[in-house]
Amino acid sequence: MTKEAAYSELVDRLKRAHVLGTVNGLISWDEQVNLPPDSADLRAEQLALMAELQHAAAGEPRIGELLETLERRCEELTGDQQVVLRCARRDYDRVVKLPPEFVREKARHSSEAFHAWARCKAASDFPGFAPYLEKHLLLARREAGYLGCEAAPYDYMIDRHDPGMTGAVIERLFGELKEGLVPLVREIVSSPVKAKAGIFRGFPVDGQRAFLRLVTERLGFNYRRGRIDVSLHPFCEGSGADIRMTTRFDEDNPLNSLFSAIHETGHGLYEQGMRLADQGTPLGQAVGMAVHESQSRLWENQVARSRGFWRFFERRFREEFPAQLGAVSPEELYLAVNAVRPTLIRVDSDEVTYNLHIILRFEIEKRLFSGTLAVADLPVAWAGLANDLLGLTPPNDRDGALQDVHWACGMFGYFPSYCLGNMMASQFWYKAQGDLPGLEDDFSRGDFARLLGWLRRNIHEQGRRYDTQELVKVVSGEPLKPAYLLRYLRERYLPLYRG
Amino acid sequence: MTKEAAYSELVDRLKRAHVLGTVNGLISWDEQVNLPPDSADLRAEQLALMAELQHAAAGEPRIGELLETLERRCEELTGDQQVVLRCARRDYDRVVKLPPEFVREKARHSSEAFHAWARCKAASDFPGFAPYLEKHLLLARREAGYLGCEAAPYDYMIDRHDPGMTGAVIERLFGELKEGLVPLVREIVSSPVKAKAGIFRGFPVDGQRAFLRLVTERLGFNYRRGRIDVSLHPFCEGSGADIRMTTRFDEDNPLNSLFSAIHETGHGLYEQGMRLADQGTPLGQAVGMAVHESQSRLWENQVARSRGFWRFFERRFREEFPAQLGAVSPEELYLAVNAVRPTLIRVDSDEVTYNLHIILRFEIEKRLFSGTLAVADLPVAWAGLANDLLGLTPPNDRDGALQDVHWACGMFGYFPSYCLGNMMASQFWYKAQGDLPGLEDDFSRGDFARLLGWLRRNIHEQGRRYDTQELVKVVSGEPLKPAYLLRYLRERYLPLYRG
């Protein structure tokens, strides 16, 4: 067999597993967007079966043979082919080390734990949820064991979401970040300048939909290969050939749906920025969740909370809602866009205090995996950390340890990605500004093409060529540093809140 | 292995193939309802791969072993189990006789032919489409050959949609029907009574949506296990656990969206009427397309064009659209609901002349398969038949032989089901009226539960227990006869059109 034939067959088989993955993604999207209330049992069966088939397709023995054939002649491959080979090997080894029974058991437990979480959250009943979380922790340790990572299961979980990242690196980065962040939050919160509450009332959904469509299309989202719908929690699903984003609408909070949509657009632009020809191969896949979040955050925060952005869109926003915005001054609007207010709920928080929510969760996960925190003691630990970091104490588990869905799905090591993504977004942002002088002036003209082109070349089209930390270094010339996020937050928020 | 264990494993494996089929159905629904315009290539890949996996799951050798084990002890099984065994054997033999390469080739050609058809229809270019149709005919003959039906490929295609039905039976039934139908149409068309055109203008879509929701819910559709959306051509997809119906809206033709929705509701009620526990086994599957159409047609025509139905819903319709219906008298409304007007386009036709469209297509298919009509001569044959049957000549291929999608998907032998379904609907209707005196009075009170219960017991819950013709006999006590459809049409239309 020639190496060309082997490589081409390998790519075909990777694409086959990818196509199954896209079907899985689509029916998950449909579950959140369209599912009739009593059809959940069938959907759970469909998802479990598709997970099994995807696992089987990704772990076909023939893929192993092709990898071996190609690895023997690795130096004859092109650079791109070597990237594909390296990543495919990594994925294959993981898949074949996980027994199908384990994959099924984890899928089933995730579904059960999800429904238990929804019930327990509604009842604010952490003890009811605790056994599901215990089992998820056991499954996570078992999974790490299959991969030979029993000594460092939390590092394994982190690496699953952000290849190359470790708990120790995150601990150092978050430590530095916290040191700068806590005084910054204190300064903003104690400022006499406050974003006015309750100035948005009665924004019809149709108008919100039209305005966010205008904005997200202008940012560069290609609606010929994607769409936006409504779900309880906004998310983005799919690959570049068909991206499904969601948002949610509240007539008294138009900025929420708008910024959710822009955030998801950032995810969508990343996926749409990879080459269609690379779809289904590691060159057409995201590095990991932190890099994904860096893209969503950069568009949501650095771009869409900037003066330049609002210089262009404010007039259009007012045209869509002339009566509703009649009494809101330009400065009140801009301050509302950049409101900072500590809250107990992560998803309701602003971009400054958001990072403290992540530091809290990282601290909890670390302790759970090191064995220094028992699941039963989690609410107490949560309350202590919330008090330390946010100055707030949750009145119940619903607004505390039960607020997020991630642990119900067994997603440990995922939370840090959000904050790492924020750091990366700032680091990329300063680099892009250096490379592209006058960038914010582009925004004032409604022109986002230079920024998008820069992100595509430097990040999107790289696929999985580099791991998380390598990519940051290649793009920005420096290792990941919290300093850029702190600088960005100070530059954006202190002038506003110093009045 | 005990027979209980073998039966239970068989059912598990049938359900597995069924679940894959439901995923396939869902992504097909999404293709019609949600697909972004440039995402069709990925969807074609997804559908082809899922078809392949479904074929593999339905043809697992283990299913063959289990069937043999159970067939040896067939007399020890319950009646229900014997039904499952008999149908599962039939399905299995068909699946394993079709080579996977053939399944893939047919799926690929269907996708290509579909897009070619869409192009050629837009350009009204039958010669451009002819090679695709030729290839579909070759594939159909090959498929019949794999199943040992090379001598009677058209009978094979008919049997695929309506088990037990043959071309000879249809020919006889359609001959009798035509004899009664042609003079009936002539009498109606020459009547001085005419439904007034253009009396419906400016019915907002939101109001139409609310009214059809009210109607379809009242008929018995369970929206906790289903939904209705919008697509170019209305259809119904899914199984009882999750039914997806569609309709389309035209502000100047509210009856079109309403009757489309009621038609699809009839399909949905059939699927929802089977027991959830039987889902994925032959006891939870429809007999075939003719029986399916009998359900959609019965609700659309016998029920929703009746005086009783409108006695209940007219007030509600007027409440939703007081201004638009202000100048429309009750009799004008009822005549609009029952307008008869020959047209070139099948999907725009009324329930009387509709059957002539089907007789035309059956005649064409018969000749194509017997070899007495070449594909190139199809438009001429079509024009001749349209003139004979409808008194109309298509001005172009778009309004003639290219109007329907079925042949582009290789669906031969499907058209007859529509007319067989109309016959069955009438035959069931008279039987139900005999069994349930005062049925139309129920409708006047908005009560459809007795009829639905009767259909469930007699038809829905039977699953595939009987083949098409057996079921008609079991339910109505007689073989399928066109006389009931003719009687129904005369009773409904002559009093109206005789003025």
Side-chain angles (χ1 to χ4, degrees), chain A residues 106-294:
Chain A
K106 190 176 164 187
R108 199 170 32 242
H109 181 63
S110 293
S111 173
E112 287 166 7
F114 172 80
H115 292 289
W117 167 77
R119 277 195 313 274
C120 294
K121 181 177 176 178
S124 204
D125 168 22
F126 186 84
F129 177 64
Y132 295 91
L133 182 53
E134 300 268 17
K135 174 147 186 202
H136 260 316
L137 285 164
L138 285 175
L139 287 170
R141 285 177 194 282
R142 257 174 72 197
E143 183 174 334
Y146 291 127
L147 275 291
C149 303
E150 48 279 276
Y154 191 43
D155 277 347
Y156 165 77
M157 299 309 286
I158 290 169
D159 181 85
R160 285 279 299 129
H161 298 107
D162 295 308
M165 192 53 76
T166 67
V169 172
I170 295 174
E171 179 139 27
R172 179 176 56 73
L173 294 171
F174 283 10
E176 287 172 44
L177 180 67
K178 188 175 139 187
E179 219 159 291
L181 203 54
V182 169
L184 177 63
V185 171
R186 203 176 302 127
E187 181 166 358
I188 294 173
V189 169
S190 61
S191 159
V193 182
K194 304 269 178 221
K196 249 185 176 166
I199 56 174
F200 300 113
R201 285 276 176 266
F203 286 66
V205 168
D206 282 352
Q208 292 194 48
R209 206 188 299 268
F211 182 64
L212 74 77
R213 170 85 186 213
L214 174 87
V215 169
T216 53
E217 231 166 1
R218 193 92 195 187
L219 296 179
F221 186 81
N222 177 4
Y223 278 98
R224 295 191 63 84
R225 292 192 190 277
R227 49 184 288 136
I228 188 160
D229 292 88
V230 171
S231 67
L232 198 57
H233 295 285
F235 68 100
C236 177
E237 176 62 67
S239 66
D242 185 1
I243 287 285
R244 306 288 171 106
M245 311 190 291
T246 69
T247 188
R248 54 184 166 190
F249 292 103
D250 176 348
E251 296 211 336
D252 299 334
N253 195 348
L255 294 182
N256 183 284
S257 65
L258 176 66
F259 279 91
S260 292
I262 295 171
H263 178 96
E264 303 310 336
T265 295
H267 286 301
L269 289 173
Y270 185 12
E271 294 289 339
Q272 289 189 335
M274 297 178 224
R275 293 190 195 89
L276 274 181
D278 291 331
Q279 292 287 311
T281 81
L283 287 168
Q285 285 163 353
V287 182
M289 289 318 303
V291 178
H292 235 305
E293 286 296 321
S294 79

Side-chain angles (χ1 to χ4, degrees), chain A residues 16 18-20 22-23 26-27 29-30 33-39 42-43 45-46 49-50 52-53 222-227 229 239 241-244, chain B residues 16 18-20 22-23 26-27 29-30 33-39 42-43 45-46 49-50 52-53 222-227 229 239 241-244:
Chain A
R16 188 181 156 90
H18 163 75
V19 170
L20 278 178
T22 63
V23 173
L26 187 72
I27 68 177
W29 167 84
D30 181 87
V33 173
N34 295 318
L35 198 71
D38 291 348
S39 303
L42 173 61
R43 186 53 45 89
E45 280 185 67
Q46 291 167 327
L49 181 52
M50 291 305 298
E52 188 188 320
L53 291 171
N222 177 4
Y223 278 98
R224 295 191 63 84
R225 292 192 190 277
R227 49 184 288 136
D229 292 88
S239 66
D242 185 1
I243 287 285
R244 306 288 171 106
Chain B
R16 187 182 157 89
H18 163 75
V19 171
L20 278 179
T22 63
V23 173
L26 186 72
I27 68 177
W29 167 85
D30 180 87
V33 173
N34 296 317
L35 198 71
D38 291 348
S39 302
L42 173 63
R43 185 52 46 90
E45 278 184 67
Q46 292 167 327
L49 182 51
M50 291 304 297
E52 187 188 321
L53 291 171
N222 177 2
Y223 279 97
R224 294 192 63 84
R225 293 192 190 275
R227 50 184 288 138
D229 292 87
S239 67
D242 185 2
I243 287 286
R244 306 288 171 107

